[in-house]
Amino acid sequence: MQFAAILAGGSGVRMGNPNKPKQFFYLGEKPILVHTVEKFCASGLFDCVLVLSPESWVQQTRDIIEKNCPQYSDVVRVTTGGAARNDTIMNAIRYFEESEFSTEDAILVTHDAVRPFVSLRIIEENIAAARKFGACDTVVPATDTIVESQDGAFISAIPDRSKLYQGQTPQSFHMEELRDMLVSLSDEESAVLTDACKAFTLRGHKVALVRGDVSNIKITYPQDLRVAEAMLEG
């Protein structure tokens, strides 16, 4: 089986409204979250698309999905996210393990709710790579020089840009392997590892790369929303 986990636990602080999570800001005539959910549902590739929302927004999320995506009511579910990203992913895994779905050999595709321009090609290649390698990350080559600073005041190193990539989402996994990897983390590791792919690399497992796209933007700041509006109109 194939599951999608839409990670919708972000806040609206950097969008200028701390009381409204950014995934509920409108992009065109619909909330950003709806655009993202529709991409995964319309692909026809998933047995379930699970939206993980802040606890205080779970009912509003259900209402928004019911209003905007009634045609996908048999595919979309909503549940509570966690305190941190990996906690939210673990909540998704527990949800599927406790559901009516079979989780044997299941693939879990995790995606930011505020990346509404993900393409079908990226989703398909994530599923294929996760099935073949067990874990994959969506990336684009770094176009700017990356500067490292240990103290935040002076340059420590300038890595070779040709070997650097910028991470996007989806990140996709063989779900049982992902669960075992996250459970194996110590409390100290869990406190600093905010990326599921890094848990794999920490344990010496290879993570395949899937080619992303510069249009697969993450809407974090007000200027990102303006860019997204222009992309939607175009």
Side-chain angles (χ1 to χ4, degrees):
M1 300 194 102
Q2 294 170 174
F3 306 125
I6 308 300
L7 311 181
S11 69
V13 172
R14 287 178 288 185
M15 289 291 287
N17 187 346
N19 298 316
K20 183 177 182 179
K22 55 192 173 184
Q23 57 271 21
F24 299 113
F25 279 70
Y26 268 67
L27 173 59
E29 297 180 352
K30 296 178 287 191
I32 297 170
L33 171 65
V34 172
H35 290 277
T36 305
V37 168
E38 286 178 334
K39 288 290 180 66
F40 282 82
C41 292
S43 74
L45 297 171
F46 297 97
D47 298 282
C48 180
V49 176
L50 180 65
V51 180
L52 296 111
S53 175
E55 185 173 6
S56 61
W57 279 80
V58 167
Q59 189 56 53
Q60 288 100 317
T61 303
R62 291 193 176 113
D63 293 342
I64 288 169
I65 297 297
E66 183 178 346
K67 176 184 176 182
N68 292 276
C69 308
Q71 72 273 36
Y72 299 127
S73 60
D74 59 332
V75 178
V76 183
R77 310 286 177 84
V78 179
T79 192
T80 306
R85 186 183 188 87
N86 285 345
D87 298 323
T88 297
I89 293 173
M90 277 302 301
N91 280 8
I93 294 171
R94 292 189 194 99
Y95 179 93
F96 290 121
E97 289 180 336
E98 295 169 3
S99 70
E100 73 275 18
F101 299 105
S102 169
T103 58
E104 185 177 357
D105 295 325
I107 294 299
L108 180 63
V109 178
T110 68
H111 188 64
D112 297 325
V114 288
R115 288 189 188 270
F117 296 107
V118 62
S119 68
L120 177 61
R121 190 269 304 168
I122 290 175
I123 294 171
E124 289 176 334
E125 291 185 8
N126 262 259
I127 293 172
R131 286 219 173 272
K132 184 174 182 179
F133 302 107
C136 68
D137 196 0
T138 303
V139 302
V140 292
T143 55
D144 295 322
T145 297
I146 306 299
V147 175
E148 178 184 336
S149 175
Q150 295 290 339
D151 59 8
F154 299 96
I155 291 176
S156 305
I158 300 179
D160 181 356
R161 188 178 65 188
S162 67
K163 296 182 176 64
L164 299 178
Y165 296 82
Q166 294 168 238
Q168 298 184 337
T169 62
Q171 293 182 333
S172 303
F173 311 91
H174 186 283
M175 193 167 75
E176 290 181 348
E177 290 183 33
L178 175 60
R179 178 202 59 211
D180 294 344
M181 209 64 61
L182 294 179
V183 168
S184 76
L185 296 176
S186 66
D187 290 341
E188 292 78 13
E189 289 170 335
S190 295
V192 297
L193 290 183
T194 58
D195 185 281
C197 284
K198 193 166 183 179
F200 274 75
T201 61
L202 185 69
R203 293 292 182 262
H205 289 251
K206 290 185 177 180
V207 178
L209 301 182
V210 170
R211 180 173 54 86
D213 196 291
V214 292
S215 66
N216 184 26
I217 66 169
K218 184 177 183 181
I219 301 174
T220 303
Y221 298 99
Q223 58 266 34
D224 300 327
L225 189 56
R226 291 192 288 271
V227 170
E229 291 279 7
M231 292 172 63
L232 191 65
E233 291 174 6

